[in-house]
Every structure is written in structure tokens, then in C-alpha cells.
Amino acid sequence: MANSNPEIKYTQIFINNEFVNAVSGKTFPTINPSAGKKIVDVAEGDKADVDLAVKAAKAAFDRKAPWRQMDATARAKLIYKLIGLMERDLHYLANLESLDNGKPFNNAVYDVYGSIAALRYSAEWADKITGDTVPSDGPHLTYTRKEPVGVVGQIIPWNYPMLMLAWKWGPALATGCTVVMKPAEQTPLTALYLCSLVKEAGFPAGVVNVVPGYGPTAGHAISVHPDVRKVAFTGSVEIGKIIMAEAAGTLKKVSLELGGKSPLVICDDADVEEAAKIAYAGVFENMGQCCIAATRTFVQEGIYDAFVKKATELAKTRKVGCPFAQDTQHGPQVDETQFKKILGYIEKGKKEGAKLETGGVQEGKEGYFIQPTVFSNVTDEMTIAKEEIFGPVQSIIKFKTLDEVIERANATNFGLAAGIVTKSLNNALVFSNAVEAGSVWVNTYLAVAVQAPFGGYKQSGIGREMGKEGIELYLETKTVSIRLPTKV
Ligand code: NAP
Ligand code: MG
């Protein structure tokens, strides 16, 4: 059940199955965004701690170490054990996530289920990862082996702390890699509690290591470490570019899941009420802190006014408040920086001539709550139509023809997701083939599934997480050729 005061059990760095202080002894506060007040101090990892974590992960990846000697089914069983413990502690984990991140408790419960689904999907791959036998020229038996990449560095954001962790731990552990993860500075608590479950599940020491701390220090140390073979990152385009550049020094494999400015196209033939509900969910989910948020709502001219009216009504119904209250749909933004940044974008929207239909201001006086905000009369050149706001701001833009809106939808460096609401199969097919995005949703939105690859075109990322492609990200392919006897 919802509990706004869950006991905080773990605040230290997790290396080699032990919780330890930072080498420097430093700590940093993690904040409750509903109140703007400190929850607890957490050990602040830095290069020295990352070095220790990588050393542990490297030792755990040694060819003679238990993790490498284990059957693939045994790896899967350990992941299932972890899942069982997460189910046992479901409400505790959800409360901890709500407290640290601000998302409503009910959404946090959903995130725990989503994390479990991601881990289960990955675990089921463990003993189904196979190579090929290859009909090579010459008297050789040639086959390929799929082997784990090795020590992987994983750097995650604060919007879905547990879910992003599970999306990264799942394939890494299923394939037999070892992990050094840095959670976001805003939301370290669930990752640390999950470490205690990793130990309880019986994973060998060093397989999972978590170093809370800041990006430019701990995150940087992971990106440049010579013994880290791959870095997997989710976050902003800006930091994605830095990580890619830094990983170049040691030629790490890099996978990046970055931001978006995703178009949702509503055609004239759509049911206005249905379309408005899809758009509402697509943009306000998780207080708009969603990489796939439908932040450019393109509406065809014939239904534009009716759509704006409906969208505004819906936004006004959204229940903003304490994340632990049963009927809350919308909590605070994650921190003061994001809060101010979003209010800044709203001011720009007004100044550049968009029409504020509802919201636009802080809700209440405490914490980082922002009212669900709807702008109409938005044009493509406005800042709110171009930059990732990462907040509860809907921008409704008018279009005339499908051809025209495809060009406009694609006129961005982002390419994470897109959607279309239409009754016409032709519209749906033309749009979904032409739009430059890693995920396209027709008559729905946010339909992310652990079985399906997820990631971005253009500057929204490199590589795909989840699905079969997500497993491939953590594998090397080795070709083995064995000379065959020539006499038969
Ligand atoms: P961010 O800076 O990209 O942070 C993501 C992660 O990268 C955090 O763990 C961060 O550490 C770490 N990091 C920062 N600098 C680093 C560096 N030089 N080397 C290695 N790691 C580094 O994102 P943010 O500042 O939290 O949010 C800013 C914007 O990013 C948002 O407004 C939004 O537009 C976008 N964003 C996108 C997603 C997504 O899912 N695609 C998620 C979150 C944010 P710290 O904890 O110290 O920041
Ligand atoms: Mg926090």
C-alpha cells in the first residue's frame, strides 16, 4: 500500500555484493520533489569508486569465475529469483520510487511490473542465444559463438529509474556480462535497494555493481575506463554526444537512447474525443518526463478547433497532487532545475505567440508541481515546437495535408517515436512508412513492449533496446573454424 515514509535501508555504493562508503567519504543529498526537501544523503561515487567497481566486475567476468562457468539456465534462474524478490517487495519499491522521483504511487507500481516484465523477457533469452554453423569454403567446420561483451557500463536517467535499470540489467545479465551502473543523481534509491535483492538472490559478487554519483565525475569515469567494453546510456542528446566522444578513446561499443520531439498526427477523419484522449496520455504521462512524449500534436484543420477544446477540457481534469494519494494522476517534476526549465519554456511559448489554453503555472506552493499545460496556435518555428521540454506541455499545431505534415514531422534532428490517429488505412501506411522514427503507433500511443525493439533514428540514438536487438547489443560474435579430416 502507499506509504509516503518508506524506511530508507541502503544509501551506499554497491561493489562486490557489499555496500561501502565512497573512497572520498563524500555524500550528496537526494531530494523529495513533492516537498523540495532532502530525503537522505547518499554516498557520492567518483573515479576511485568506479575503478573499484570495474575491478570487481572484471574479476567476476574472469573465464574461471563462477558467473562464466555457469549454465545459461542458471543465469536465468538467478534473474527469476531477483524477480520473485521484487514481487515480494513490490509496494516497498513503488513507495521508494514515488518518494525519490515524485511519480504517483500507482504509476510506480506499474513501473515495478514493467521492470519485472523486462527482466523476465531477457531471462527467457538466456539459453536461446545461439550461433550458426556456416557453410564456409575449405575443409572446415565453421561456426559462430555469441559471447558476452564483458564489463558493461550503464548510465541511466531519472524519469523511469527502475524501468531503465531493468532494461539494461536484463540483457546484460541474460547474456552473461557484468555490470557497473550509475543511476541518476536525482533518483538513486531504488537502484540501491535492488542491489540488496541482487545479493539476496545469490548472484556472484561483482556481477552487478552500482555507483551513485554525478555524471561528469562517476559517469565520465565509466565512459573512459579502459576495462569497460561497452557503455549503454539513456538520457539527453547533449550528454549522449559527450559519452560517444569519450568512449571513442577506448573504442567502446556504445548504445544510446536519447531524447525526442515526437509528432502525433491527428487526421480529419479521427473521432475527436478518442484522438484527444490518445494525445493527452501521450503528452502528460509521467508529468511529461517521457522520451517518447507526443510533444508535437499536429491536428488537421477540419477538426482543429474541436480538438483544442477537447484537449483543454481533458488537461483540466487531470488530478495533480501528492503522489501517495489514491486519486493522484500527476505528481511534481523531478527537481528544481527541470521545474524552472519547463516554466521557462512556457514563458517562451507565450512570448513567441502561442495561445495558452490552460495551465502554465506552478500548482500549489510547495515542491515542483506544474499544472498540465495546453498551447494552441503553435507553429513549427516556436521554441516549444522544436526543443525537448520534458514537462507537461502540449503544443497543438495545425496542418492541411498528410504530405505536408510528413515533411514537417520529419523536419527535426530527433527521431524517437511518432503516432497517427486516422480511420484511413492508406493514411496510416503512408505515414508509418515515411516518418523517421524508431517506433510508430497507429490509433494508439506509448505502446512500448519488452518484446519489441525500442530506440531512435537520427540524433535520438544508436542501437535498439529490448526485443531481439536488445539482446544483440550485449553480444560479440566469434567465428570458429576447425580443420576437417580430408580422408573419409
Ligand atoms: P542527462 O544529463 O542526459 O542525464 C542522464 C544520465 O547521464 C544521468 O545519470 C547523468 O548524471 C549522466 N551524465 C551527465 N553528464 C554525464 C557525463 N559527462 N558523462 C557521463 N554521464 C553523464 O539528463 P538530465 O540532465 O537528467 O536531463 C536533461 C534533459 O535530458 C531532460 O530535460 C530531457 O530533455 C533529457 N532526458 C531524456 C531522457 C530519455 O529518456 N531519453 C531521460 C532523462 C532526461 P547526473 O545524475 O549527474 O545528471
Ligand atoms: Mg530524488
Side-chain angles (χ1 to χ4, degrees), residues 30-33 39 99-101 185-188 334:
T30 188
I31 308 291
N32 169 3
I39 305 167
L99 180 69
D100 208 8
N101 165 282
E185 148 245 325
Q186 294 89 342
T187 54
V334 78

Side-chain angles (χ1 to χ4, degrees), residues 168-182:
K168 291 193 168 40
W169 280 10
L173 298 175
T175 53
C177 295
T178 59
V179 169
V180 175
M181 171 172 278
K182 191 199 88 63

Side-chain angles (χ1 to χ4, degrees), residues 2 37 65 70 189 194 275 298 302 343 354 405 419 422 468:
K37 296 203 175 85
M70 211 178 263
L189 295 181
L194 286 166
F298 287 102
L343 290 176
V405 82
T422 180
K468 196 167 54 177

Side-chain angles (χ1 to χ4, degrees), residues 74-147:
R75 282 202 308 274
K77 273 187 191 160
L78 283 172
I79 302 174
Y80 293 134
K81 192 81 196 293
L82 174 63
I83 288 171
L85 298 173
M86 290 169 72
E87 284 168 341
R88 180 193 71 189
D89 296 341
L90 177 87
H91 285 173
Y92 176 75
L93 279 164
N95 280 315
L96 205 55
E97 193 83 318
S98 273
L99 180 69
D100 208 8
N101 165 282
K103 67 177 67 198
F105 171 76
N106 292 330
N107 294 48
V109 169
Y110 190 76
D111 283 6
V112 185
Y113 284 126
S115 307
I116 287 172
L119 289 169
R120 180 196 50 74
Y121 175 80
S122 298
E124 286 172 357
W125 268 106
D127 64 349
K128 293 164 196 71
I129 297 167
T130 57
D132 294 317
T133 51
V134 181
S136 59
D137 289 343
H140 299 120
L141 164 64
T142 299
Y143 62 92
T144 57
R145 277 168 57 80
K146 295 286 184 181
E147 299 184 351

Side-chain angles (χ1 to χ4, degrees), residues 242-316:
I242 292 176
I243 287 178
M244 192 167 170
E246 289 182 342
T250 47
L251 272 181
K252 285 180 184 43
K253 282 146 188 78
V254 176
S255 55
L256 304 170
E257 199 271 276
L258 308 176
K261 192 72 195 172
S262 300
L264 171 60
V265 170
I266 319 274
C267 298
D268 271 347
D269 64 355
D271 177 290
V272 172
E273 184 150 353
E274 270 297 307
K277 281 186 188 158
I278 292 170
Y280 163 87
V283 75
F284 293 121
E285 175 69 23
N286 206 36
M287 291 69 75
Q289 302 167 139
C290 221
C291 52
I292 50 177
T295 49
R296 289 186 292 152
T297 309
F298 287 102
V299 181
Q300 205 159 7
E301 54 187 0
I303 57 166
Y304 187 85
D305 293 339
F307 182 92
V308 170
K309 187 162 173 277
K310 194 73 222 167
T312 307
E313 276 169 31
L314 275 175
K316 283 181 175 161

Side-chain angles (χ1 to χ4, degrees), residues 159-391:
N159 54 345
Y160 290 92
M162 255 185 293
L163 209 57
M164 292 299 99
L165 173 148
W167 278 36
K168 291 193 168 40
W169 280 10
L173 298 175
T175 53
C177 295
T178 59
V179 169
V180 175
M181 171 172 278
K182 191 199 88 63
E185 148 245 325
Q186 294 89 342
T187 54
L189 295 181
T190 44
L192 295 178
Y193 186 74
L194 286 166
C195 288
S196 77
L197 301 187
V198 161
K199 184 172 179 174
E200 189 179 345
F203 281 87
V207 170
V208 172
N209 306 275
V210 171
V211 183
Y214 292 102
T217 49
H220 167 82
I222 290 174
S223 313
V224 298
H225 200 295
D227 290 330
V228 173
R229 300 274 180 250
K230 168 191 166 57
V231 62
F233 170 76
T234 299
S236 61
V237 171
E238 180 198 351
I239 303 299
K241 288 178 183 173
I242 292 176
I243 287 178
M244 192 167 170
E246 289 182 342
T250 47
L251 272 181
K252 285 180 184 43
K253 282 146 188 78
V254 176
S255 55
L256 304 170
E257 199 271 276
L258 308 176
K261 192 72 195 172
S262 300
L264 171 60
V265 170
I266 319 274
C267 298
D268 271 347
D269 64 355
D271 177 290
V272 172
E273 184 150 353
E274 270 297 307
K277 281 186 188 158
I278 292 170
Y280 163 87
V283 75
F284 293 121
E285 175 69 23
N286 206 36
M287 291 69 75
Q289 302 167 139
C290 221
C291 52
I292 50 177
T295 49
R296 289 186 292 152
T297 309
F298 287 102
V299 181
Q300 205 159 7
E301 54 187 0
I303 57 166
Y304 187 85
D305 293 339
F307 182 92
V308 170
K309 187 162 173 277
K310 194 73 222 167
T312 307
E313 276 169 31
L314 275 175
K316 283 181 175 161
T317 65
R318 196 161 175 83
K319 182 87 176 62
V320 183
C322 169
F324 296 95
Q326 194 50 37
D327 59 345
T328 293
Q329 297 171 307
H330 199 96
Q333 309 308 130
V334 78
D335 66 8
E336 196 181 354
T337 308
Q338 290 296 317
F339 172 79
K340 287 186 171 158
K341 188 175 153 193
I342 296 160
L343 290 176
Y345 275 119
I346 291 171
E347 284 315 304
K348 269 205 180 129
K350 290 196 272 186
K351 211 184 269 165
E352 292 175 14
K355 182 172 174 220
L356 181 66
E357 298 281 348
T358 183
V361 291
Q362 178 175 17
E363 169 88 13
K365 293 199 175 69
E366 213 189 31
Y368 311 125
F369 296 85
I370 295 179
Q371 286 181 2
T373 299
V374 176
F375 277 113
S376 63
N377 294 350
V378 178
T379 57
D380 295 359
E381 309 71 44
M382 290 181 187
T383 310
I384 56 169
K386 287 200 293 207
E387 295 182 16
E388 191 175 33
I389 300 173
F390 235 62

